[in-house]
Amino acid sequence: GATFMVLAPEHPLTERLTSAAEREALAGAPWWKKLLVKYRSSRRRAAVEEYRRRTAATDLVSRKVGDRKKTGVPTGATALNPATGKPIPVWIADYVLMEYGTGAIMAVPGHDQRDFAFARTFGLPIVRVLAAEGEDAGTPLEEALEATDDARLVNSGQFDGMNADEGGRAITAWLAERGGGRATVQYRLYDWCISRQRYWGPPIPIIYCEACGPVPVPEEDLPVLLPPLADFRPDDSGVSPLARDAAWYHVPCPGCGRPARRETDVSDTFLDSAWYYLRYPSTEFDDRPFDPARTRRWLPVASYIGGNEHAVLHLLYSRFLAMVLQELGHLHFEEPFARFRAHGLIVKDGAKMSKSRGNVVIPDEYIAQWGADTFRMYLMFLGPFEEGGDFRDAGISGPRRFLDRVWDYVGQAAGGPAGPGASAAPAEPIVAREALVKYHQTVKKVTGDLESLNYNTAIAAMMELLNTLREHDAVSLGVAEGLVVMLAPFAPHFAEECWERLGHATSVMDAAWPGWDEQFLVQDRVEVVVQVNGKTRSRVTVPAGADEEAVGRAALADEATRRFLDGKTVRKRIYVPGRLINLVVG
């Protein structure tokens, strides 16, 4: 799939390849062609040099990120694709970085988005070598197709049909046998610069002496405290704010006593936050950063929840420090966080919230109108926790109506017959079995969804339960208690009021979590869709596990179905157990 190569503009081979392309074109050429080659080569060299000059002046960060239009120039040289034996052009482009890998890439535009955009911009070939199961290998690609679990190799000779991982290993071994390449591992490790030129942060405890050089601050003088500054903002001088305080900045050398100066840099907040979880359980200890016994009891952290911006730097540094401290014998664990969950982003009416758009949601206004619990539930109901959702004013009325209906149901249950406790199986005769089944299914689902942070589906399950209870007029004190306890993590203030209304003097937070009875999780009857010639005509309820004959008899006995069978003969039955039966008539 490699149809061209790209070098970083700074790559040392750039000049050699540009010159080599000219020499190759001149070899054995007639005089008139040599003139043309030299003219074209001089223009190409000028274009390459100009592009390299512009790239050198470009901010490195902007080269790494963003959706800028792809730019680049050809060197005129070609490389040989060892898998196909075909020559492919060599370009330079600023989206390839010298410090990443070797500063040279083979471009596979069919399956890399940046290569795809570059190929589209400059009209370079795009060869498809991956396709999803059942997909035509010749279908043109509208965008780069990333490798997926079901992706298989196409247009790849003897490797056709292999999945992406298996094929990649096979091709690497095949190239190694022929001297065309080998598997290798590359590391991209850099020194971590922890110093920052600002006021806020722990000062780095070093003193500089002309005679002794850098000298650590004596342990008895630690920690080095920040001096109080009236103005700690950076200015145009380039001098750290800490250097402006002469009394703090100028100190005697701890070694020789001569005049010396403090280090004015402070440590990066990433370094500080990389071990804060170790300090939290031991904040009252002044003689140690963290207490071994306290740390062994409380850590590592069971579950860490944060934004996606935490998932790289902060967590990487936290893991790095934990591994170092564990290797030095100070910690009993290597991984600081057993589980990490990144929360999603909430947008407003389809657009990211920003002050310039004027679509920022101010919670106070919604809380004043709808109440804190309604607002809280709406945020959890918007979508999956790890994906976020779209905040729309019209949607908040849904959770409010649900809470209103719960209030009405609690009122009915409080004045109705006493039922069993929330942790027992509500079994009053007044409650239909369908409602009991739904209750126990809901308890199990909400319990599991809370553990997995699937708040939106837990709320949806409770809404379905209330609909079923209302549909069957199933009023039960026990069911009401169980529903209120399940609702407490989502709407705590509202649940407290409901709990008191149900006759309890203690807090709902002290109540036992409801349990479920497995016997109610197994449905004894199921609803089967009845189709006639592929069109849904009715539904019949049959015992769970009923065979095709029994379901067929129930369908033929159904009055709604019979209207579509008059004068016709059932020639065939298609049965999907427990779900559907299709009667083919003629």
Side-chain angles (χ1 to χ4, degrees), residues 112-457:
D112 179 273
Q113 196 58 49
R114 293 185 308 167
D115 295 344
F116 181 86
F118 190 87
R120 275 289 181 87
T121 301
F122 294 102
L124 296 167
I126 299 174
V127 174
R128 180 178 198 150
V129 292
L130 286 175
E133 195 64 42
E135 204 171 16
D136 186 358
T139 303
L141 290 168
E142 295 302 319
E143 59 182 12
L145 175 70
E146 299 288 339
T148 57
D149 291 340
D150 66 339
R152 57 184 177 82
L153 266 62
V154 295
N155 301 319
S156 300
Q158 70 266 39
F159 304 104
D160 280 357
M162 292 184 176
N163 66 42
D165 287 342
E166 178 190 7
R169 290 191 293 269
I171 292 172
T172 302
W174 179 76
L175 287 171
E177 291 173 3
R178 289 157 175 74
R182 61 186 174 85
T184 185
V185 177
Q186 290 195 342
Y187 296 94
R188 292 190 291 144
L189 293 176
Y190 298 89
D191 289 339
W192 180 12
C193 179
I194 66 162
S195 61
R196 295 295 182 269
Q197 296 73 47
R198 56 183 174 226
Y199 173 77
W200 297 111
I204 295 174
I206 295 292
I207 293 173
Y208 296 97
C209 174
E210 293 295 334
C212 304
V215 181
V217 172
E219 190 168 338
E220 61 269 18
D221 294 336
L222 295 177
V224 178
L225 301 178
L226 290 169
L229 294 182
D231 182 10
F232 46 77
R233 292 172 297 181
D235 57 23
D236 295 334
S237 68
V239 177
S240 168
L242 289 174
R244 300 179 202 150
D245 191 318
W248 182 89
Y249 181 51
H250 297 288
V251 292
C253 172
C256 66
R258 296 178 183 178
R261 57 186 174 81
R262 289 190 188 276
E263 169 63 70
T264 58
D265 283 358
V266 297
S267 63
D268 179 20
T269 52
F270 273 126
L271 175 63
D272 312 330
S273 64
W275 70 280
Y276 75 93
Y277 67 95
L278 292 170
R279 179 64 180 163
Y280 271 170
S282 303
T283 51
E284 73 268 34
F285 297 106
D286 295 330
D287 59 342
R288 72 207 83 164
F290 50 88
D291 180 67
R294 190 74 61 80
T295 300
R296 184 170 291 277
R297 178 183 175 189
W298 285 97
L299 297 172
V301 176
S303 181
Y304 186 111
I305 297 174
N308 278 314
E309 67 275 8
H310 292 145
V312 182
L313 295 179
H314 166 61
L315 291 183
L316 176 68
Y317 297 143
S318 297
R319 297 179 66 215
F320 169 73
L321 284 188
M323 291 175 183
V324 170
L325 292 171
Q326 190 268 345
E327 195 168 302
L328 293 173
H330 298 302
L331 294 181
H332 66 282
F333 55 85
E334 193 176 52
E335 291 289 352
F337 313 117
R339 181 175 71 165
F340 171 71
R341 291 292 182 272
H343 58 70
L345 182 70
I346 295 178
V347 300
K348 179 74 163 67
D349 297 324
K352 186 176 179 180
M353 293 186 201
S354 70
K355 286 184 286 188
S356 61
R357 288 195 181 99
N359 65 343
V360 175
V361 171
I362 300 174
D364 294 2
E365 299 171 2
Y366 291 90
I367 292 172
Q369 179 180 356
W370 297 97
D373 282 356
T374 298
F375 185 69
R376 174 187 171 97
M377 281 195 69
Y378 177 58
L379 293 179
M380 287 187 279
F381 191 54
L382 275 180
F385 178 82
E386 296 179 14
E387 297 177 17
D390 190 359
F391 189 103
R392 297 181 183 273
D393 290 356
I396 200 169
S397 60
R400 178 54 183 266
R401 287 195 300 270
F402 167 66
L403 293 179
D404 287 342
R405 289 196 294 267
V406 172
W407 184 257
D408 291 341
Y409 184 79
V410 167
Q412 292 177 336
S423 61
E428 303 99 319
I430 194 172
V431 180
R433 180 172 177 83
E434 290 83 353
L436 282 175
V437 168
K438 191 65 174 177
Y439 170 79
H440 287 275
Q441 289 175 341
T442 304
V443 172
K444 184 175 183 179
K445 178 164 180 57
V446 172
T447 303
D449 283 352
L450 279 172
E451 288 292 330
S452 58
L453 309 184
N454 292 320
Y455 302 136
N456 59 319
T457 54

